[in-house]
Amino acid sequence: MARRNAKKILVILSEYGYWGEELVGPLHHFDQRGYEVVFATPNGRRPHALPPSMDPTYIDPPLGKSVTSEEVAKLTRQIDESDRLADPIDISGWVPERPYTADEDYLRKLEAYHRAVDLVAQELEEYDALLIVGGSGPIVDLANNERVHQIILSFLRAGKPIAAECYGVAPLAFARDWEDRKSIIWGKHVTGHCKEYDYKDGTGFLGTDFVMGPPPYPLEYILRDATGPDGRYHGNFGKETSVIVDYPFITGRSTPDSYLTGEKVVEVLEDGLRRFGW
């Protein structure tokens, strides 16, 4: 049950598979604090956890060990089978799509688009923070999703916390104001899935039989470029955890950082934390 005056969090999940702990970890802290959590997916379809993230015997190739405990596997299965994720917000039906420049009556359509985006921003005022959950799925339907970018930009313009984990950090690099097209993390300190953690083979997704070798892009390289000369990507390879807070952004490197990411979101919201991890 949500507490009186509890925070409200919007959580975006991929429809092509999220990594269980990267949802379970932050949710642990949100639920503990009595926050209201609302889920959203690109097309309103129910999200599901990637099978390896529910299997404690699965050995993560780059790390050479299991990254899922029995407890986390159980918690992931519980939420994956519950009704909690059954009816997410349909982002495609909520956030408008920017018209093509070749569209007939483009100017009027662009004006209508901006009016609709402003209305979405007003609706987002009821939320206190945004979380984008990681896993391989975001590579497919979140990274270059302009509707997701608009949600991110609305939180940014409102000065509200924006958290992202693992490959869920990619949309932060690609979310850009249409005028200057500079990444919103330019000059910021962030973390995200480091090169050493990338699979060499077997990057898979739900809802498709397409299994590729390594990810289609090394997120670390994108984040290094997107943060520019005055920002910095922190891989912290060799350290057990890597979570960076450079307000308004809270970024977690990968699966082992999930609980800490949630903890830092709470500290940002309740204790005024503005910098951590660098």
Side-chain angles (χ1 to χ4, degrees):
M1 179 181 296
R3 297 182 309 173
R4 186 178 180 183
N5 299 324
K7 305 297 184 182
K8 188 172 184 179
I9 314 296
L10 179 64
V11 175
I12 295 179
L13 292 150
S14 169
E15 294 174 7
Y16 286 86
Y18 66 88
W19 193 270
E21 187 166 350
E22 292 175 29
L23 174 60
V24 167
L27 271 186
H28 167 78
H29 292 285
F30 300 163
D31 291 348
Q32 193 175 59
R33 302 298 297 175
Y35 292 178
E36 180 182 354
V37 179
V38 177
F39 301 101
T41 60
N43 295 291
R45 290 192 286 268
R46 179 190 179 121
H48 287 286
L50 293 156
S53 73
M54 295 184 283
D55 181 4
T57 68
Y58 176 77
I59 303 300
D60 184 74
L63 296 179
K65 66 175 186 177
S66 170
V67 293
T68 303
S69 68
E70 291 279 359
E71 180 185 6
V72 167
K74 179 181 178 181
L75 291 171
T76 301
R77 285 192 295 269
Q78 286 176 348
I79 191 168
D80 207 56
E81 295 168 1
S82 73
D83 293 333
R84 195 167 182 185
L85 303 178
D87 190 26
I89 292 174
D90 176 1
I91 294 175
S92 70
W94 184 21
V95 182
E97 184 174 60
R98 189 183 184 96
Y100 283 116
T101 54
D103 283 357
E104 185 177 351
D105 204 16
Y106 170 67
L107 182 55
R108 299 287 84 79
K109 288 182 178 178
L110 185 61
E111 291 171 345
Y113 166 78
H114 283 127
R115 288 196 299 271
V117 165
D118 288 342
L119 287 176
V120 172
Q122 291 176 24
E123 294 170 2
L124 288 170
E125 289 177 1
E126 65 182 278
Y127 295 94
D128 295 284
L130 171 68
L131 170 68
I132 303 173
V133 177
S136 57
I139 292 171
V140 180
D141 62 352
L142 299 185
N144 194 29
N145 188 322
E146 287 187 1
R147 289 184 167 105
V148 172
H149 296 169
Q150 278 300 336
I151 292 174
I152 294 169
L153 288 169
S154 292
F155 274 87
L156 181 67
R157 289 163 184 157
K160 294 181 178 180
I162 300 165
E165 306 166 279
C166 189
Y167 267 85
V169 181
L172 304 189
F174 295 134
R176 304 176 181 221
D177 184 273
W178 201 263
E179 296 301 318
D180 66 19
R181 310 202 184 187
K182 182 181 290 186
S183 176
I184 61 173
I185 58 172
W186 186 266
K188 289 293 186 177
H189 290 248
V190 301
T191 190
H193 206 273
C194 61
K195 192 72 174 69
E196 289 87 350
Y197 281 17
D198 282 350
Y199 287 11
K200 298 184 182 299
D201 192 20
T203 303
F205 314 95
L206 293 182
T208 175
D209 58 4
F210 179 56
V211 178
M212 60 193 313
Y217 54 83
L219 180 59
E220 175 179 332
Y221 296 170
I222 288 171
L223 296 178
R224 286 185 181 278
D225 292 345
T227 50
D230 297 323
R232 183 181 170 188
Y233 164 82
H234 301 263
N236 287 320
F237 181 67
K239 296 182 180 179
E240 290 187 4
T241 59
S242 179
V243 174
I244 303 294
V245 178
D246 190 356
Y247 195 84
F249 303 109
I250 304 110
T251 50
R253 179 181 57 194
S254 191
T255 302
D257 311 289
S258 305
Y259 280 85
L260 184 58
T261 298
E263 177 183 309
K264 294 307 167 186
V265 172
V266 170
E267 290 182 17
V268 166
L269 288 171
E270 299 192 12
D271 302 330
L273 179 69
R274 292 296 181 267
R275 170 173 171 161
F276 174 81
W278 56 281

